[in-house]
Amino acid sequence: MSTSTLTEPPAPSAPSETPAPKQPDIGYHPDEAKYRARVARRLAAEPSLPHTPLPAGFPAKVEGPIVWQGSDWVGEEQWVYNLTEGQLKEIDDAVQHFKGLGVKLGYVGKETFPLPTLGGELRGLAGELYSGRGFFVLRTIPIEKYNREELAILYAGISSHVGSARGKQDGTGAVLAHIKDLRVSHAHEKGGIGNSAYTTDKQVFHTDVGDLIALMALETAAEGGVSRISSGGRVYNEIAATRPDLVGVLAEGWPLDSFGGDPGYTTRPLLYYEEENHIIFQYSRRHFTGYGPQKRSAHIPPISEAQAEALDAIHFLAEKFSLGLNFQKGDIQYINSLGLMHARDEFKDSEEKTRHLVRLWLRNDELAWKTPGPLQGIWKRLYSIGPEEQRFPLEPEIRRKESGKTK
């Protein structure tokens, strides 16, 4: 009698798990070799990418005076407005007039800071920001003539004739921000400084929130620190012509790191096209890569390889088409942050010369472009601060969120 051999049925195989997506190999400082390698890999895997149709509603090309490249400009006389002795006296008289009112700094405005002749010139220059090239420089404020509070009055007063609304720059109501190297004076900050603006490091191309950025130079660096601007429309035209697939990538939702905020990240596009032929980039690279000690949060969705390529494409094209502005002590630089991107070269300070800029975020309600839908909530919060709540720090400090955490 034979016995049959009994065998156990094979164990069911475990279901295969899809690996969790990982953050691409990309840092705050763009690496051109890594960028070129990423482009080559993606094109090898998908050769049809350059033939991708543009997303619905996006044009093949935008035109207008704000669409330019650095080589289009011959000299700074094309964008520098030199103040006359008479206009400087108007400014000085307005400072004294406002001080005599005995009101808080938040009440500085066109009515409380009257500029009889310069005011009309500034209104015309505001039009240049929204309907022209998108930038100009006012030269030169005699910095040494005024104390810090008077400089704040002067700066906000002049700027109120360019942009009537001032935006808050942190959760404590500060509408004035000091841009300088704070690594020594604020070395005690928990977690370190996570924004290149407050170091001597190179600041890569980005945009600030809000319509307009004003920067006044209290002092320039001993070496380096060139301010660079680039036309978003020119960058867009190049991407649309050569890699239209990246237009779609930029117009999709991206996970922006809140760096400890609540929620931990938000999602919105980096690129918008609005009526009247306006291309708008709105982004800061560090929200996708982290910077220095402020690493990108591990618990939020990573960006994709396509998004990493798009980030680098924006930077290197902006760099290619950029214009360098020669900041002088006492200059005030105004740029349209919707139509232009900006960056800053690495710099060195000395005991005699320490680079120190002061920033305002502005909006001219009469001339303003339409704010893209996904940005309207941000803009509303930015410009909703009343004169009583506006704070003008006279010394440098780290920007803070509502929770007290650094930004």
Side-chain angles (χ1 to χ4, degrees):
M1 177 174 161
S2 63
T3 57
S4 58
T5 304
L6 298 177
T7 60
E8 295 184 1
S13 58
S16 60
E17 293 185 1
T18 303
K22 294 182 179 180
Q23 176 78 358
D25 180 15
I26 186 170
Y28 174 79
H29 291 291
D31 184 317
E32 189 164 7
K34 289 181 179 179
Y35 167 55
R36 299 298 174 195
R38 179 172 282 115
V39 171
R41 286 196 306 271
R42 295 196 65 238
L43 289 179
E46 299 181 73
S48 63
L49 287 177
H51 308 291
T52 304
L54 286 165
F58 280 86
K61 185 178 183 180
V62 291
E63 296 178 331
I66 204 168
V67 182
W68 48 259
Q69 59 191 47
S71 59
D72 293 337
W73 303 103
V74 177
E76 62 178 17
E77 65 276 1
Q78 294 177 282
W79 62 81
V80 172
Y81 183 93
N82 291 289
L83 294 166
T84 67
E85 288 300 319
Q87 290 167 339
L88 289 171
K89 185 177 186 308
E90 281 189 10
I91 292 169
D92 192 58
D93 289 345
V95 170
Q96 302 311 317
H97 173 78
F98 182 82
K99 288 174 66 177
L101 297 177
V103 296
K104 290 185 177 181
L105 287 177
Y107 287 96
V108 178
K110 289 185 290 185
E111 293 74 22
T112 58
F113 196 90
L115 298 171
T117 63
L118 179 57
E121 297 291 332
L122 293 173
R123 283 192 293 276
L125 290 167
E128 191 67 46
L129 295 178
Y130 283 107
S131 302
R133 62 182 173 268
F135 67 100
F136 72 91
V137 173
L138 205 62
R139 180 172 292 166
T140 305
I141 301 300
I143 298 296
E144 307 298 344
K145 183 177 180 178
Y146 300 99
N147 62 36
R148 282 290 173 86
E149 183 177 22
E150 290 170 335
L151 283 171
I153 294 169
L154 176 153
Y155 182 32
I158 292 172
S159 297
S160 69
H161 291 265
V162 177
S164 50
R166 284 187 290 271
K168 59 181 177 181
Q169 301 193 40
D170 69 359
T172 71
V175 295
L176 194 72
H178 296 259
I179 310 299
K180 65 176 300 190
D181 182 13
L182 300 181
R183 291 174 300 172
V184 175
S185 60
H186 289 69
H188 61 282
E189 283 292 330
K190 184 179 179 181
I193 292 176
N195 189 331
S196 59
Y198 306 113
T199 72
T200 61
D201 201 0
K202 177 179 179 177
Q203 198 172 16
V204 301
F205 277 97
H206 66 286
T207 63
D208 286 14
V209 294
D211 281 25
L212 309 175
I213 311 166
L215 291 166
M216 181 168 72
L218 301 184
E219 185 56 271
T220 57
E223 181 183 334
V226 172
S227 177
R228 301 191 183 278
I229 58 175
S230 195
S231 165
R234 181 65 185 90
V235 170
Y236 171 84
N237 285 347
E238 191 73 12
I239 295 175
T242 60
R243 288 294 304 277
D245 59 299
L246 295 183
V247 174
V249 171
L250 290 163
E252 69 187 12
W254 288 56
L256 285 80
D257 198 337
S258 299
F259 297 113
D262 184 16
Y265 72 97
T266 56
T267 303
R268 60 175 170 80
L270 273 57
L271 177 66
Y272 308 87
Y273 178 65
E274 289 298 325
E275 56 193 34
E276 300 178 1
N277 214 30
H278 294 145
I279 278 290
I280 297 171
F281 285 91
Q282 217 299 307
Y283 82 108
S284 178
R285 186 178 175 102
R286 68 186 184 90
H287 286 288
F288 309 105
T289 65
Y291 173 77
Q294 194 172 66
K295 307 299 183 186
R296 181 171 169 84
S297 301
H299 62 281
I300 68 173
I303 64 172
S304 67
E305 285 290 326
Q307 289 173 330
E309 182 189 349
L311 265 187
D312 279 346
I314 297 172
H315 174 81
F316 288 116
L317 287 173
E319 200 168 57
K320 177 181 178 180
F321 299 132
S322 69
L323 172 69
L325 300 182
N326 176 31
F327 245 141
Q328 296 182 15
K329 183 175 181 176
D331 281 358
I332 306 179
Q333 171 186 295
Y334 294 92
I335 69 172
N336 180 332
S337 193
L338 296 173
L340 305 181
M341 293 175 266
H342 62 284
R344 180 198 71 203
D345 289 359
E346 182 181 9
F347 65 93
K348 292 181 180 179
D349 285 333
S350 68
E351 290 186 7
E352 296 76 26
K353 297 194 73 176
T354 298
R355 190 179 195 268
H356 187 173
L357 307 183
V358 189
R359 182 179 64 198
L360 290 168
W361 287 339
L362 307 168
R363 175 182 171 89
N364 189 306
D365 291 324
E366 294 179 6
L367 302 174
W369 295 357
K370 179 182 177 183
T371 305
L375 302 179
Q376 288 177 5
I378 300 171
W379 262 236
K380 184 176 180 181
R381 290 192 298 273
L382 190 72
Y383 294 114
S384 63
I385 185 166
E388 287 286 334
E389 292 76 40
Q390 292 182 24
R391 197 169 63 83
F392 290 75
L394 301 182
E395 297 297 332
E397 60 184 34
I398 296 290
R399 291 166 61 204
R400 298 188 180 280
K401 300 179 181 179
E402 301 283 356
S403 63
K405 295 181 179 178
T406 59
K407 296 177 81 172

